Amino acid sequence: MSRRHRKTKIPPTTKKEIIVFIIKVLSIPLSLLSFIYLTRQYNNFIIIKFEFVLYIYIISGLTFGFLFYNYEKKQEGKNFKILEHFLLILLIYGSISSTVFLIANEYLSTNKEYKILSPIIAKHESFKRSPNSITVNIEGTEREINIHNCDFKKISTYNFAEIKIKKGYWNFPIIMETTLKLDK
């Protein structure tokens, strides 16, 4: 019998391989949704340094990368590319872990709200479909806040912003509401 006519046997899949496949398939759309939520929260609501989010991203990505390293290397064999493996894991599990961190910061908070009256440092007019925004100083950090319900002419008359803030679980402030004031 020649080699062409031999039947190739497909190795049976184990329960462990099926579970890993399901995790991989579910993690990709979950990471996309997590990344969208992460950028929305970071840009609009939570006051946190970008470096801190980046540290969470990198540490969690490397942790999951090392956890999946042995399994992937065994599956791929000689074709295993370590750089592609770690970059993919970093993107997927880094965004999921950072989003879980922000969700836990918001939903495990004590719900104690307080108000800050801050002078408006700068006013930015909208460009095309983007909202108008103001720059204020919140707890020593300059933060740009989007103002959706006012046109720029109305925003330019105000001098102060009253910001309702809630302390998160890990003491990262969360912006709840912003109202504009003429004076103190």
Side-chain angles (χ1 to χ4, degrees), residues 2-180:
S2 69
R3 289 185 188 171
R4 284 184 263 172
H5 298 296
R6 283 188 195 169
K7 292 183 179 179
T8 57
K9 290 185 178 180
I10 300 172
T13 57
T14 63
K15 191 174 184 179
K16 183 179 178 182
E17 290 174 347
I18 293 171
I19 291 172
V20 170
F21 177 74
I22 291 171
I23 289 173
K24 284 182 179 182
V25 168
L26 291 178
S27 65
I28 292 172
L30 183 64
S31 70
L32 179 65
L33 293 173
S34 297
F35 186 75
I36 292 169
Y37 180 82
L38 177 70
T39 55
R40 181 179 177 272
Q41 287 294 101
Y42 177 77
N43 286 334
N44 295 328
F45 301 110
I46 195 161
I47 302 170
I48 189 171
K49 291 185 177 180
F50 178 73
E51 293 86 16
F52 194 79
V53 174
L54 190 64
Y55 294 149
I56 294 171
Y57 216 88
I58 291 172
I59 290 171
S60 61
L62 290 176
T63 303
F64 280 103
F66 284 119
L67 289 175
F68 286 118
Y69 174 75
N70 288 334
Y71 178 78
E72 289 289 330
K73 190 171 183 180
K74 188 172 91 175
Q75 288 294 106
E76 297 290 326
K78 292 182 178 181
N79 296 331
F80 181 67
K81 296 176 182 164
I82 193 164
L83 184 63
E84 288 179 13
H85 166 74
F86 276 105
L87 286 178
L88 186 65
I89 294 292
L90 184 73
L91 288 174
I92 292 173
Y93 293 102
S95 63
I96 292 172
S97 300
S98 298
T99 301
V100 167
F101 176 81
L102 292 183
I103 289 172
N105 184 53
E106 184 173 350
Y107 289 104
L108 296 178
S109 70
T110 59
N111 291 329
K112 292 182 180 177
E113 296 179 357
Y114 58 96
K115 292 182 180 181
I116 292 178
L117 187 65
S118 175
I120 298 174
I121 298 170
K123 301 167 188 167
H124 307 284
E125 190 171 5
S126 63
F127 180 71
K128 294 188 178 181
R129 296 186 64 186
S130 63
N132 297 313
S133 63
I134 58 172
T135 304
V136 294
N137 190 351
I138 302 173
E139 298 180 358
T141 305
E142 283 191 9
R143 183 73 179 169
E144 187 171 330
I145 300 174
N146 294 333
I147 307 294
H148 298 280
N149 54 357
C150 293
D151 60 341
F152 189 72
K153 290 178 184 177
K154 190 174 180 182
I155 290 175
S156 61
T157 60
Y158 293 105
N159 297 325
F160 292 92
E162 185 178 71
I163 305 154
K164 189 190 297 184
I165 295 178
K166 174 173 79 169
K167 277 289 188 188
Y169 183 71
W170 286 288
N171 288 329
F172 292 112
I174 302 166
I175 299 171
M176 301 301 291
E177 183 181 352
T178 304
T179 55
L180 300 174

